Amino acid sequence: MDESADSRGPMESNAEMRALDAAARGDTTLLGDLLSQHSDRLRRIAQARIDPRIAARLGPDDVLQEAFLDVARRIGEYLEQRNAQSEERLPFFLWVRLLTRQVIARLHREHLGALKRDAGREARSPRQALGCTTVLIAHQLASSHTTPTGALRRIEQREAVAVALERLSEDDREVLMLRHYEELSNQEIATLLGVTESGASMRHLRALTRLKAITADLELSQ
């Protein structure tokens, strides 16, 4: 029996399995190639999650550089969980995504602290940071034509969806961010949220339904 096949985790592709098996033997060449394959998705995540108040100081590539260094430093921990068949082990991409989010949180603490000390710089409010995120989701919904009101053909409709997104709960907005901007699969979202795949589908559908209702109200009030 192929031992490497036994160690395959949920959502682990053949390429990931080969890279992780090689890393376990001390060869990290394939691991670097694997990270490069994921870089576009991770860059989108970083772009969406970086606080706009420090966008001039911190870019997605800065985040990815730090995150990939963390992956190199901590790959041994991940491999230990993999070999032990730990139930806590995330699929590789979601693990790298977690490290990326941790890097963003760390850099936020550093840069926002520096920003507060810089009395000559005007910082944008958390509300403006939220607005940036909703615009990203609204744009993606419009681009993919996966919207609660059908294909959003006009900029005015896209702006209405952005306003509606800000009126959603944080949980609903996060589900839409994961699905339509980060482009995570339903299985990946279920893993992140700690629910079944059907539960993740229901949360997504519920968020879209609420978004549709709010958008319709906004259109009627105009």
Side-chain angles (χ1 to χ4, degrees):
M1 181 180 295
D2 184 352
E3 294 182 359
S4 64
D6 287 346
S7 64
R8 180 195 294 269
M11 294 172 274
E12 190 172 281
S13 68
N14 289 331
E16 287 175 340
M17 188 170 66
R18 288 193 298 271
L20 293 173
D21 286 343
R25 298 191 298 269
D27 182 359
T28 58
T29 302
L30 292 179
L31 186 62
D33 294 340
L34 184 59
L35 289 173
S36 295
Q37 293 173 24
H38 289 312
S39 61
D40 286 344
R41 292 180 74 189
L42 293 166
R43 189 173 290 105
R44 286 168 58 84
I45 291 168
Q47 180 182 11
R49 305 291 181 171
I50 292 173
D51 193 305
R53 290 173 291 175
I54 56 173
R57 295 172 177 239
L58 180 67
D61 288 337
D62 299 315
V63 171
L64 261 59
Q65 182 178 13
E66 291 290 328
F68 289 175
L69 287 174
D70 278 356
V71 170
R73 285 192 291 263
R74 300 179 59 182
I75 188 62
E77 300 173 24
Y78 185 79
L79 293 172
E80 285 181 8
Q81 289 186 333
R82 177 177 184 260
N83 294 335
Q85 295 291 290
S86 171
E87 294 183 358
E88 298 179 357
R89 179 173 75 88
L90 290 171
F92 180 74
F93 174 76
L94 293 185
W95 178 67
V96 177
R97 178 188 179 278
L98 173 63
L99 295 189
T100 302
R101 293 293 304 274
Q102 290 174 348
V103 166
I104 293 170
R106 184 173 70 241
L107 293 175
H108 274 174
R109 288 193 297 270
E110 295 174 2
H111 287 272
L112 286 173
L115 192 63
K116 290 177 181 178
R117 292 190 297 270
D118 185 355
R121 183 185 296 271
E122 180 181 357
R124 281 191 267 182
S125 68
R127 185 68 177 175
Q128 287 173 302
L130 173 61
C132 179
T133 298
T134 57
V135 168
L136 288 173
I137 306 175
H139 178 75
Q140 191 66 14
L141 285 167
S143 298
S144 64
H145 302 298
T146 307
T147 72
T149 54
L152 297 181
R153 297 182 178 88
R154 298 192 304 273
I155 293 177
E156 291 82 359
Q157 289 175 304
R158 187 172 66 194
E159 290 177 346
V161 171
V163 172
L165 282 163
E166 292 198 13
R167 297 186 183 182
L168 287 177
S169 70
E170 184 177 349
D171 287 344
D172 284 344
R173 196 164 47 245
E174 180 68 12
V175 168
L176 295 176
M177 169 66 86
L178 294 174
R179 186 65 172 269
H180 296 285
Y181 191 78
E182 294 192 16
E183 297 183 347
L184 298 186
S185 68
N186 191 60
Q187 187 179 13
E188 288 172 326
I189 293 172
T191 299
L192 284 179
L193 299 180
V195 299
T196 63
E197 290 188 53
S198 61
S201 293
M202 286 301 299
R203 290 194 185 190
H204 176 240
L205 178 60
R206 187 163 57 242
L208 281 178
T209 300
R210 289 169 177 163
L211 182 62
K212 176 180 179 179
I214 296 172
T215 303
D217 287 344
L218 288 171
E219 290 176 345
L220 286 174
S221 65
Q222 290 179 352

